[in-house]
């Protein structure tokens, strides 16, 4: 999870459809240096739902769906940009991608230049794992189809796993860092992701979902209608350090309208 102040600013600018409000985030931001009990008391006094504190302050495990979205060949595309040109290029990219993440109930865990990690799950969403997969799938497809054929084409790595939100109590820095093996696996997967594709480990539950089959997909609530056609690859062998799996698949948008 990013700096709380940044998260508040993103939600205020782009809006969101998940269950964590800006009032809760602002209370966390203001009381970050206090103990978990003091933060909980502050939430209760303000009439705020304390459920999110189970994850942020008590470090309960969260089972998340991750999307790692980044621009394909970003360094090559931007190598001759001036600083102002690069800023305009990235600002437009964020304005296109982040609203889609929020429209599907996701949250922005981290922004690293062109790299955006979106998360779907507790405490931001309380849906079943099947529903989380569906939301992450639609989010990834919306982004891929929207940007395909533009100067901001993307590749998306999809993964899931259990994590914790770590609070460094020695620092007065309002951030709850997502920590877990699955995050490392996500970073490794992103390194072999393919353009205009959702890339995932072959053992993922995603591979068996009804929505992960060859077929057409139209962007959610887009006018005029904009659609793409997705094909699934065969198993691809990879060698990723620190990852127990050696095979991935790519679910690729081969053309769009």
């Amino acid at each position: 999870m990013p700096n709380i102040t940044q998260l508040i600013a993103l939600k205020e600018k782009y809006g969101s459809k998940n269950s964590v409000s800006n009032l809760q985030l602002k209370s966390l931001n203001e009381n970050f240096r206090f103990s978990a009990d003091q933060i909980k008391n502050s939430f209760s006094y303000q009439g705020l739902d304390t459920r999110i504190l189970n994850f942020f302050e008590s470090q309960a495990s969260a089972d998340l769906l991750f999307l790692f979205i980044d621009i394909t060949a970003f360094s090559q595309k931007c190598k001759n940009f001036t600083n102002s040109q690069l800023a305009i290029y990235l600002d437009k990219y964020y304005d296109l991608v982040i609203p889609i993440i929020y429209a599907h109930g996701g949250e922005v865990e981290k922004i690293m230049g062109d790299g955006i990690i979106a998360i779907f799950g507790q405490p931001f969403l309380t849906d079943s794992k099947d529903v989380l997969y569906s939301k992450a799938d639609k989010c990834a497809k919306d982004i891929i189809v929207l940007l395909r054929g533009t100067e901001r084409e993307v590749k998306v790595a999809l993964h899931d796993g259990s994590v914790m939100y770590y609070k460094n109590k020695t620092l007065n820095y309002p951030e709850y860092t997502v920590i877990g093996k699955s995050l490392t696996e996500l970073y490794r997967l992103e390194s072999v992701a393919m353009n205009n594709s959702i890339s995932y480990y072959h053992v993922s539950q995603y591979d068996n979902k009804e929505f992960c089959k060859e077929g057409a997909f139209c962007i959610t609530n887009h006018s005029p209608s904009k659609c793409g056609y997705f094909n699934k690859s065969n198993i691809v062998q990879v060698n990723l350090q620190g990852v127990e799996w050696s095979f991935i698949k790519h679910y690729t948008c081969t053309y769009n309208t």
Side-chain angles (χ1 to χ4, degrees), residues 71-72 77-78 81 89 92 147-153:
I71 295 173
T72 307
K77 289 176 179 175
C78 301
F81 282 9
Y89 179 84
K92 178 64 174 177
L147 297 179
R148 189 180 186 278
T150 74
E151 60 181 355
R152 296 177 180 83
E153 286 188 329

Side-chain angles (χ1 to χ4, degrees), residues 134-180:
S134 176
K135 289 183 175 181
D137 168 80
K138 290 177 182 177
C139 177
K141 287 176 178 173
D142 277 357
I143 293 168
I144 289 169
V145 174
L146 180 67
L147 297 179
R148 189 180 186 278
T150 74
E151 60 181 355
R152 296 177 180 83
E153 286 188 329
V154 298
K155 48 194 173 75
V156 179
L158 181 151
H159 191 42
D160 72 292
S162 180
V163 300
M164 66 172 284
Y165 295 96
Y166 171 69
K167 177 181 179 179
N168 189 333
K169 298 179 176 64
T170 65
L171 299 176
N172 186 21
Y173 186 71
E175 181 168 317
Y176 295 86
T177 305
V178 172
I179 294 177

